[in-house]
Amino acid sequence: MATVENPLSVGNVAFRRAPLLALGIVALLAGLWSGLFRVGWNIPALQPTLPISHGPLMICGFLGTLISLERAVALGRRWAFMGPVLTGTGGILLITGIGTWQGPLLITLGSLVLLAVFGAVLRIQSQAFVWVMAAGALAWMVGNVIWLLGAPVFRIVLWWMGFLVLTIAGERLELSRMLMHAPAVQRLFTGIAALLGAGLLVELFVPDAGFRLSGVALMALAIWLARYDIARHTIRTKELTRYIAACLLAGYFWLFTGGLLAALLGFSAGGPLYDAILHAVLVGFVFSMIFGHAPIIFPSVLGTPVFYRKFFYVHMVLLHLSLLLRIAGDLAGNVSVRRAGAMLNAVAILLFLATTIYSIARARWSTGDD
Amino acid sequence: MPPTAEIASRLDIADSLQGVIDPEIGLDIVTLGLIYDIHVEGQVIEVYMTMTTPACPMSNYIKQEVGRALSRIEGVRRIIVELVWDPAWSPAMMDPDVRRRRFPSYR
């Protein structure tokens, strides 16, 4: 049992976590820059190893730090904050190019802390959805260990994708309890999650089969989520609740698309088809979740009020339309279209970031929490 | 106000807590069944509540909003929020009428 005296003071304490969130945001900005360099925009590389750090910065430096931070806040134990400290610092090492194995080591240790967080949660609540999220953290750690041992990103990116997909899917399974589904529906979910786990394991030995199997699991998961998640109901509400549901449902479309592409195209070590599979899932699904939940997660981490503006639909729609453009360019082999889509993806994310920071500042100012 | 007098009834406090909304679901924390008990002693309010999961990323926000809602009650001097994990929250704790309205095709 945790006691909170004077819960209003939570906000002032929480705002001290802003530097941890800032570490993640710096990784995001550097990740976007290196991504644009990689798709062929004529911008300086800034430092020689930055372009190859695009994936690690986006997945581990930004998303990993954000997820570790929100879980640490939820659990409320001091040691849990070592997770985002380690992954955030690892991200800075990747950006600056200091060392070779040091950044991956810190990120691997950070993922170990996240796994320990889920161990602590499981001791309180041992339910299927927590096991799914814990499996996600395990997938991240396994991917990180293989990366630390020197494997290229394209060999472990499926494990990182598994981390993000299982984390989000576990959260959705948790909320879908409100609908009191029949046990068979939950068993179906567990079966799909297990299939994804099998796909990851197969990928270690036969990458092509692993990608295809994981692709089938992602398609099945997208159908399950579209059918059984609460978003189908909350889309009929209004304001923020409706906006979150819209982000979720659009994300499920991309999860299905990414799964379909992975199942059809299999493994490749780079190039436009690899770009299409990865970005359908990581931008279309994962970033759509981030867009939808940022108005509640950032305030929860920082102790500021929740915010909502109709303007949020602008960056949300821009993200999805620009991703359509990018993937059309990928599949058609049209470099210019792909490059334009990637730039507009980055613009949508920057617009989201600017709107979020502005909304937090406004909300904090209006409640006089400064 | 004499220090032994209660500043609000448990019902008044529950009414105030109905203003704390889970933005993901669009329902308040009383309807969701997250409030287990409320104690009022003089100018101190103690709320025993839970979250749907200890991994809930919104727990910090909800605790803060509980504090914000209760601090509007006149005369309150101290607010204590106790997070309880036993018994674990289950969907059966939700208000069944509201649940049926929000999720009409389900039980």
Side-chain angles (χ1 to χ4, degrees):
Chain A
M1 192 158 69
T3 305
V4 181
E5 288 217 27
N6 185 13
L8 279 176
S9 68
V10 167
N12 291 328
V13 174
F15 214 74
R16 293 181 205 149
R17 297 179 196 129
L20 290 178
L21 195 54
L23 283 178
I25 291 172
V26 169
L28 170 67
L29 294 173
L32 290 176
W33 184 271
S34 55
L36 293 176
F37 179 89
R38 283 169 69 97
V39 293
W41 284 96
N42 190 18
I43 53 175
L46 298 181
Q47 65 93 353
T49 60
L50 193 63
I52 59 160
S53 296
H54 167 67
L57 283 170
M58 297 298 282
I59 297 171
C60 304
F62 173 57
L63 296 165
T65 300
L66 188 64
I67 291 167
S68 300
L69 181 57
E70 68 173 23
R71 298 304 168 199
V73 170
L75 190 64
R77 306 222 181 124
R78 198 167 286 210
W79 60 263
F81 287 90
M82 278 311 292
V85 168
L86 286 163
T87 57
T89 312
I92 298 298
L93 292 188
L94 294 179
I95 294 168
T96 53
I98 296 170
T100 48
W101 52 267
Q102 290 87 344
L105 177 66
L106 292 186
I107 287 168
T108 305
L109 292 174
S111 60
L112 192 62
V113 175
L114 182 65
L115 197 57
V117 166
F118 279 110
V121 174
L122 280 166
R123 288 182 63 167
I124 303 169
Q125 187 184 40
S126 176
Q127 292 209 14
F129 65 86
V130 186
W131 282 104
V132 171
M133 289 190 273
L138 179 66
W140 188 28
M141 204 196 69
V142 170
N144 288 341
V145 168
I146 302 170
W147 178 45
L148 182 61
L149 293 173
V153 168
F154 61 80
R155 279 308 311 276
I156 46 94
V157 75
L158 197 63
W159 285 83
W160 284 350
M161 195 191 279
F163 156 51
L164 298 168
V165 168
L166 289 171
T167 299
I168 296 166
E171 283 183 359
R172 302 320 302 169
L173 180 63
E174 194 267 309
L175 284 164
S176 75
R177 290 187 298 161
M178 310 262 167
L179 302 176
M180 298 176 105
H181 292 305
V185 173
Q186 297 208 24
R187 281 200 295 274
L188 178 63
F189 181 97
T190 313
I192 294 168
L195 186 66
L196 180 58
L200 299 185
L201 285 171
V202 170
E203 193 274 344
L204 286 179
F205 307 101
V206 192
D208 191 62
F211 258 73
R212 289 179 197 275
L213 189 58
S214 300
V216 171
L218 295 181
M219 286 162 66
L221 185 59
I223 294 169
W224 191 99
L225 290 167
R227 173 72 183 81
Y228 297 114
D229 188 22
I230 61 168
R232 277 181 69 214
H233 300 271
T234 52
I235 192 73
R236 297 192 202 107
T237 58
K238 56 183 182 172
E239 298 183 344
L240 180 57
T241 308
R242 183 190 181 95
Y243 167 72
I244 295 170
C247 289
L248 288 165
L249 294 172
Y252 299 156
F253 164 77
W254 284 114
L255 184 65
F256 183 87
T257 306
L260 181 67
L261 293 173
L264 291 176
L265 303 172
F267 171 79
S268 52
L273 301 182
Y274 172 84
D275 185 87
I277 295 170
L278 256 55
H279 291 85
V281 178
L282 299 175
V283 175
F285 176 61
V286 177
F287 264 88
S288 197
M289 299 297 126
I290 298 290
F291 278 22
H293 287 96
I296 53 180
I297 297 304
F298 281 43
S300 194
V301 168
L302 297 174
T304 53
V306 160
F307 48 83
Y308 168 73
R309 285 161 209 285
K310 279 184 191 160
F311 183 80
F312 290 172
Y313 281 99
V314 173
H315 52 247
M316 183 253 201
V317 169
L318 180 61
L319 183 86
H320 293 293
L321 291 181
S322 59
L323 188 58
L324 274 176
L325 190 67
R326 177 185 193 144
I327 290 182
D330 278 331
L331 297 180
N334 188 322
V335 177
S336 305
V337 171
R338 173 194 184 194
R339 197 184 295 158
M343 175 59 89
L344 290 171
N345 283 166
V347 170
I349 292 171
L350 289 174
L351 200 56
F352 149 76
L353 200 57
T355 313
T356 301
I357 291 170
Y358 171 76
S359 301
I360 289 171
R362 277 289 299 264
R364 192 165 158 79
W365 177 74
S366 65
T367 55
D369 282 350
D370 49 359
Chain B
M1 178 186 304
T4 50
E6 287 180 358
I7 45 168
S9 70
R10 295 168 75 208
L11 223 55
D12 291 337
I13 292 166
D15 276 350
S16 298
L17 293 177
Q18 281 190 320
V20 179
I21 307 290
D22 179 329
E24 169 96 47
I25 306 158
L27 295 175
D28 70 84
I29 59 173
V30 177
T31 300
L32 283 170
L34 298 178
I35 303 299
Y36 283 179
D37 206 355
I38 296 166
H39 290 176
V40 191
E41 205 172 314
Q43 292 168 298
V44 179
I45 300 175
E46 205 169 357
V47 176
Y48 290 81
M49 67 175 296
T50 193
M51 301 287 163
T52 56
T53 167
C56 174
M58 280 200 317
S59 58
N60 210 39
Y61 162 74
I62 288 177
K63 278 183 280 187
Q64 194 182 327
E65 288 306 298
V66 166
R68 209 181 290 281
L70 298 185
S71 66
R72 292 192 198 105
I73 294 173
E74 207 180 320
V76 66
R77 293 198 72 139
R78 195 164 162 226
I79 301 159
I80 301 170
V81 177
E82 301 265 18
L83 273 187
V84 180
W85 302 116
D86 189 16
W89 179 88
S90 94
M93 293 174 177
M94 286 175 75
D95 181 324
D97 293 334
V98 177
R99 190 167 53 79
R100 271 192 289 270
R101 277 203 302 277
R102 174 53 46 91
F103 309 120
S105 55
Y106 289 86
R107 290 175 284 168

